[in-house]
């Protein structure tokens, strides 16, 4: 079954830890063995897995993305004026797959699943599709 939850971002660039919401959906599904797909259907958002223990990591990712894909560039052509948000979303990607083993998400000790939004604040939808293993 396809499930979803919503995330309200509060700033122009927001990175939100969504691990507990994904974990809750997996737990309620009762699936013990499989994978789950976490997907955001938004062109200025992304999903990624990285360190959740030290919030400075997320801050540094935001900082580095601004350097790699600057918000202002006179050569952007997209009329909406948010090309950098689209590019950051495209570079990181809008879905991740996470293994489910023994009913739990398989993540590293320090890892979490994050939603990134680069042209907020906005309300975003996150889809979670659980595929049962054999
Ligand atoms: Zn746009």
């Amino acid at each position: 079954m396809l499930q979803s939850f919503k995330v309200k971002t509060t700033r122009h660039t927001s990175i939100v830890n969504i691990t507990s919401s994904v974990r809750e959906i997996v737990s309620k599904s009762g699936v013990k063995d499989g994978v789950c797909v976490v997907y955001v259907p938004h062109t200025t958002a992304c999903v990624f897995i990285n360190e959740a223990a030290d919030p400075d990591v997320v801050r540094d990712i935001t900082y580095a993305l601004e350097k790699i894909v600057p918000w202002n560039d006179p050569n952007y052509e997209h009329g909406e004026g948010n090309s950098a948000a689209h590019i950051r979303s495209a570079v990181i990607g809008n879905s991740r797959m996470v293994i489910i083993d023994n009913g739990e998400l398989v993540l590293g000790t320090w890892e979490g699943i994050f939603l990134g939004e680069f042209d907020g604040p906005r309300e975003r939808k996150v889809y979670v599709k659980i595929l049962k293993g054999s």
Side-chain angles (χ1 to χ4, degrees), residues 78 80 82 86:
H78 176 47
E80 207 181 10
N82 62 351
H86 291 295

Side-chain angles (χ1 to χ4, degrees), residues 19 22-23 26-27 29 31-38 49 96-108 111 113 128-134:
T19 313
V22 176
R23 194 168 270 144
V26 169
S27 174
S29 76
V31 171
K32 299 294 177 201
D33 179 74
V35 294
C36 77
V37 179
V38 183
I49 295 170
R96 288 292 188 273
M97 285 181 80
V98 185
I99 299 165
I100 301 166
D101 185 60
N102 201 24
E104 300 284 339
L105 294 172
V106 177
L107 291 169
E111 285 184 325
I113 307 166
V128 178
K129 177 74 180 180
I130 298 172
L131 306 171
K132 286 185 190 175
S134 52

Side-chain angles (χ1 to χ4, degrees), residues 43-44 78-86 119 122:
T43 62
T44 61
H78 176 47
E80 207 181 10
N82 62 351
S83 287
H86 291 295
D119 193 20
R122 295 175 191 260

Side-chain angles (χ1 to χ4, degrees), residues 70-126:
W71 185 260
N72 293 309
D73 185 319
N75 293 316
Y76 291 149
E77 293 190 357
H78 176 47
E80 207 181 10
N82 62 351
S83 287
H86 291 295
I87 295 163
R88 293 170 191 175
S89 165
V91 166
I92 295 173
N94 55 6
S95 72
R96 288 292 188 273
M97 285 181 80
V98 185
I99 299 165
I100 301 166
D101 185 60
N102 201 24
E104 300 284 339
L105 294 172
V106 177
L107 291 169
T109 304
W110 310 113
E111 285 184 325
I113 307 166
F114 293 90
L115 172 140
E117 167 60 57
F118 303 114
D119 193 20
R122 295 175 191 260
E123 182 172 274
R124 292 318 207 179
K125 192 168 196 175
V126 180

